[in-house]
């Protein structure tokens, strides 16, 4: 080996020294070593992923497909206890009246909505809040059909009779009893007069919007022997129709047929006015 070749050998980097050996193949550098074939990780599902939508609908609604339909009927449900000026505990199933009033205003203003279906399964609640909802329902210019499923108790009775036509399921019940207060009551004579006037408002509203008379309703309201811890009457299905509180016994199909019939009459009335 010449002196120049020896000098070049010393100046080479260590990893390249093997290149001097004949017959030996160059060793790949660590950077050049190929990694084994790996499967690329899948990205997390985005907000528009159909699988995520399906799981959300199952967890929230208990079904895999939610029907979507453009309808001219607005459905409003009153479930649980009607919550008024006092917020109820979180474990109570409630319907807040401040949520329902804007919905009724929107249904009245929306020209695409021709009828309103009100479904009730309520134990009652705040008297003034219930009367406010009942007055709003009765003052709508569009046909309103109410349907009592399960129960329409206490202040749910004025809401049930506030529509243009009312239905009650065969097994549904309506509890009629006097207005009462819970908690500390002071100034008993004045409080009694206030409750008596409020009760008159409820009774007169029900008598105006149903076929029952004030006298018969007060008789049902003050009856003894039926309710364990109160005076009043528990009316079931056909009995509510017999007393004149509700117009007809029926379910969802009957209520929708009647509402469509009322909407057709409203359309024909508008055509006659235009002519």
């Amino acid at each position: 080996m010449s002196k120049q070749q020896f000098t070049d050998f010393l100046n080479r980097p260590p990893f390249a020294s093997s290149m001097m050996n004949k017959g030996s193949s160059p060793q790949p550098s660590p950077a050049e070593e190929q990694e084994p074939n790996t499967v690329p990780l899948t990205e997390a599902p985005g907000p528009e992923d159909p699988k995520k939508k399906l799981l959300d609908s199952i967890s929230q609604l208990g079904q895999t497909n939610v029907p979507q339909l453009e309808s001219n009927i607005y459905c409003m449900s009153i479930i649980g206890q009607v919550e008024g000026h006092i917020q109820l505990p979180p474990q109570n199933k409630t319907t807040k009246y401040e949520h329902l009033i804007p919905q009724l205003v929107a249904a009245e203003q929306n020209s695409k909505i021709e009828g309103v279906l009100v479904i009730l399964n309520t134990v009652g609640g705040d008297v003034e809040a219930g009367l406010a909802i009942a007055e709003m329902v009765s003052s709508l210019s569009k046909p309103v059909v109410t349907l009592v499923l399960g129960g329409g108790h206490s202040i749910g009775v004025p809401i049930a009779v506030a529509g243009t036509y009312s239905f009650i399921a065969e097994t549904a019940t309506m509890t009629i009893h006097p207005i009462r207060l819970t908690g500390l009551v002071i100034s008993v004579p004045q409080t009694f007069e206030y409750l008596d006037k409020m009760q008159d408002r409820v009774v007169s509203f029900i008598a105006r919007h149903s076929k029952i008379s004030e006298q018969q309703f007060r008789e049902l309201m003050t009856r003894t022997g039926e309710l364990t811890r109160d005076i009043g009457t528990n009316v079931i299905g056909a009995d509510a129709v017999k007393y004149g509180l509700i117009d007809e016994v029926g379910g969802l199909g009957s209520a929708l047929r009647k509402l469509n019939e009322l909407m057709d009459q409203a359309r024909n009335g508008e055509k006659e006015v235009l002519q």
Side-chain angles (χ1 to χ4, degrees), residues 29-265:
S29 63
E32 295 175 347
E33 291 182 357
Q34 296 182 356
E35 297 181 356
N37 293 332
T38 58
V39 180
L41 296 176
T42 59
E43 296 182 357
E48 300 299 327
D49 188 15
K51 291 183 179 180
K52 185 175 183 302
K53 284 185 178 181
L54 179 62
L55 293 176
D56 289 342
S57 63
I58 293 174
S59 62
Q60 295 178 10
L61 303 173
Q63 56 186 11
T64 59
N65 185 22
V66 181
Q68 301 292 335
L69 176 65
E70 288 289 336
S71 176
N72 59 346
I73 295 174
Y74 178 70
C75 178
M76 186 180 74
S77 59
I78 300 175
I79 307 298
Q81 193 166 350
V82 177
E83 185 179 276
H85 305 293
I86 299 176
Q87 188 172 2
L88 295 172
Q91 68 269 17
N92 287 31
K93 178 76 72 174
T94 63
T95 298
K96 301 178 185 295
Y97 86 106
E98 68 268 23
H99 293 174
L100 297 184
I101 290 177
Q103 295 178 32
L104 291 170
V105 173
E108 175 70 16
Q109 290 183 320
N110 192 345
S111 59
K112 295 182 180 179
I113 300 298
E114 298 182 80
V116 179
L117 176 66
V118 180
I119 297 179
L120 295 101
N121 192 356
T122 176
V123 295
D126 190 281
V127 176
E128 290 186 345
L131 276 179
I133 297 171
E135 290 284 3
M136 288 285 290
V137 170
S138 65
S139 62
L140 289 173
S141 63
K142 300 176 181 181
V144 181
V145 170
T146 60
L147 173 60
V148 179
L149 296 174
H153 307 289
S154 190
I155 201 60
V157 177
I159 304 174
V161 303
T164 314
Y165 201 86
S166 57
F167 285 88
I168 185 171
E170 187 177 357
T171 56
T173 62
M174 302 177 76
T175 303
I176 303 167
H177 62 77
I179 294 175
R180 56 196 174 202
L181 288 179
T182 58
L184 179 64
V185 178
I186 58 175
S187 302
V188 175
Q190 292 83 354
T191 304
F192 176 78
E193 291 179 4
Y194 172 73
L195 288 178
D196 194 44
K197 291 179 180 178
M198 182 178 289
Q199 191 163 284
D200 289 341
R201 292 158 53 195
V202 174
V203 173
S204 62
F205 181 90
I206 293 173
R208 289 196 313 269
H209 293 86
S210 66
K211 299 172 185 176
I212 193 171
S213 64
E214 288 192 22
Q215 180 180 358
Q216 188 175 17
F217 187 81
R218 289 182 185 276
E219 181 185 343
L220 295 175
M221 188 170 55
T222 56
R223 182 178 294 177
T224 58
E226 285 200 19
L227 302 182
T228 306
R229 296 179 298 173
D230 197 3
I231 60 175
T233 307
N234 192 14
V235 180
I236 302 175
D239 292 334
V241 178
K242 182 182 69 174
Y243 288 124
L245 274 173
I246 302 297
D247 293 315
E248 188 177 337
V249 174
L252 180 60
S254 302
L256 288 175
R257 281 193 299 270
K258 185 63 179 181
L259 185 54
N260 281 303
E261 179 184 333
L262 294 172
M263 290 190 299
D264 290 338
Q265 293 176 4

